[in-house]
Amino acid sequence: MALSTPGALPEGVLFGGLERLLARAPARVVVYDVNFAEPDRRSGFPFGGSTWSGAESDQALVDSVKASGNVLLPIDASFEGDVAGSAVSPSAADQGFHPGGSGALDRRVVFPPFGALAAAAAGFGHSLFILDSDGPIRHTVPFVSNHG
């Protein structure tokens, strides 16, 4: 769905409606590539003949995700900023998955979905992809961890 003005409607209303539509299909699994890292703090969105707040929109999304029971959400593991917030390159190159190794690349910073949405999700996937030195992605780390 394209909007003429990004952010014109609360995302929870849009994605919650999409989730309810997919539940009727029925979809076996729904995977989002949209990170809902923070609750929507905006207010005053006209929608469906009434005015919605960001909190109401978020709750509609949480309710839809919970009712579906098959939604996987991303955890953003791509940012490796320092304390001051400036972005830096990943601290370790992706060496791929090796049996007997930890299998997880530790990240200083990860951004899961906001609490209520995370609790409603069926599971999570990470968004970390590190390009090989010559450009393409030939493999990826299947797991990331955050011990920070």
Side-chain angles (χ1 to χ4, degrees):
M1 173 183 296
L3 296 175
S4 59
T5 306
L9 293 173
E11 289 85 3
V13 170
L14 296 175
F15 289 109
L18 175 62
E19 185 56 39
R20 286 188 298 280
L21 178 68
L22 291 171
R24 285 191 251 158
R28 288 185 178 201
V29 66
V30 176
V31 180
Y32 278 97
D33 188 17
V34 176
N35 190 7
F36 300 95
E38 296 182 2
D40 189 340
R41 292 180 178 86
R42 300 174 294 166
S43 62
F45 297 94
F47 182 76
S50 63
T51 301
W52 286 62
S53 69
E56 291 169 318
S57 172
D58 285 347
Q59 190 59 52
L61 177 59
V62 168
D63 292 344
S64 294
V65 167
K66 189 176 216 175
S68 295
N70 64 349
V71 178
L72 303 179
L73 297 171
I75 292 178
D76 184 354
S78 60
F79 179 75
E80 271 290 281
D82 62 15
V83 176
S86 63
V88 296
S89 298
S91 57
D94 176 7
Q95 300 300 314
F97 179 74
H98 301 283
S102 72
L105 181 62
D106 193 49
R107 304 300 286 174
R108 286 186 279 167
V109 179
V110 296
F111 296 104
F114 65 89
L117 186 58
F124 306 95
H126 70 78
S127 62
L128 178 64
F129 297 99
I130 300 173
L131 299 176
D132 291 348
S133 61
D134 61 343
I137 298 173
R138 292 188 182 88
H139 62 272
T140 187
V141 173
F143 307 104
V144 296
S145 62
N146 174 252
H147 296 100

